[in-house]
Amino acid sequence: MTATSTATSTVSRVALVDPKQAQGDVKVVLDQIQGAFGATPAMFRAVANSSAALKSLWGSFGALGGGVIPARLGEQIAVAVADRNACEYCLAAHTMLGRKAGASAEEMAAAQAGESADPRTAAALRFALKVVNDRAQVTDADVQSLREAGFDDGAIVEILAHVALNLFTNYVNVAFAVPVDFPSVKLRRG
């Protein structure tokens, strides 16, 4: 199936489910996504090949959206993880969503590099990238640095949950070559 992105034309390695043709639970969830975004992003259309995966993904976004980690920080974590995993799709989507959550273009670019002028945000980004880089082999000191930055255990677990959700979406988009349907953002990593 061919789809056009804002940058280039790409062929997805899995079908992109047409929301108009979807049925059952997949249709219900895709309708919710359409309502939330005003469109049905290609990533969700790729994941919609599995009702269970789609419900899991959408449920995770909803659950974390109601958590203690603010949307802005969640999006900053998402762009840091996306850049580290060379996921152009998530980098583009979460940069846009981060801007909608109140982050400046400069803050999103810094987050992409795992940096922030805000010490609390910087601590969360360092931890998120440590989880990704070291496959979750963090130390007591890594967790303690989050506590010292003002995060309690609930928030620390949510930071990890944001990382895990973004790993899933990064892997979906990279493995299946999902076409980017958000304004393109250049990866920083070489």
Side-chain angles (χ1 to χ4, degrees), residues 23-126:
Q23 298 179 1
D25 289 344
V26 169
K27 178 169 180 34
V28 169
V29 176
L30 289 178
D31 286 349
Q32 292 170 358
I33 292 165
Q34 172 73 32
F37 286 99
T40 308
M43 178 191 72
F44 292 106
R45 294 176 59 209
V47 174
N49 284 286
S50 165
S51 175
L54 182 63
K55 288 189 287 187
S56 173
L57 178 62
W58 189 238
S60 293
F61 275 117
L64 290 176
V68 298
I69 297 297
R72 180 173 163 166
L73 178 55
E75 300 304 338
Q76 289 170 301
I77 291 168
V79 298
V81 173
D83 196 79
R84 194 56 45 103
N85 288 317
C87 181
E88 294 178 31
Y89 191 100
C90 287
L91 180 58
H94 291 286
T95 295
M96 184 192 80
L97 292 169
R99 295 296 311 276
K100 285 187 175 184
S104 69
E106 294 78 17
E107 288 171 318
M108 292 310 290
Q112 185 180 343
E115 301 168 356
S116 175
D118 174 63
R120 185 176 157 106
T121 300
L125 295 175
R126 274 192 306 276

Side-chain angles (χ1 to χ4, degrees), residues 135-152:
R135 298 182 180 191
Q137 300 297 315
V138 298
T139 65
D140 292 345
D142 295 322
V143 174
Q144 184 58 34
S145 71
L146 287 174
R147 288 190 181 108
E148 290 169 1
F151 293 103
D152 65 14

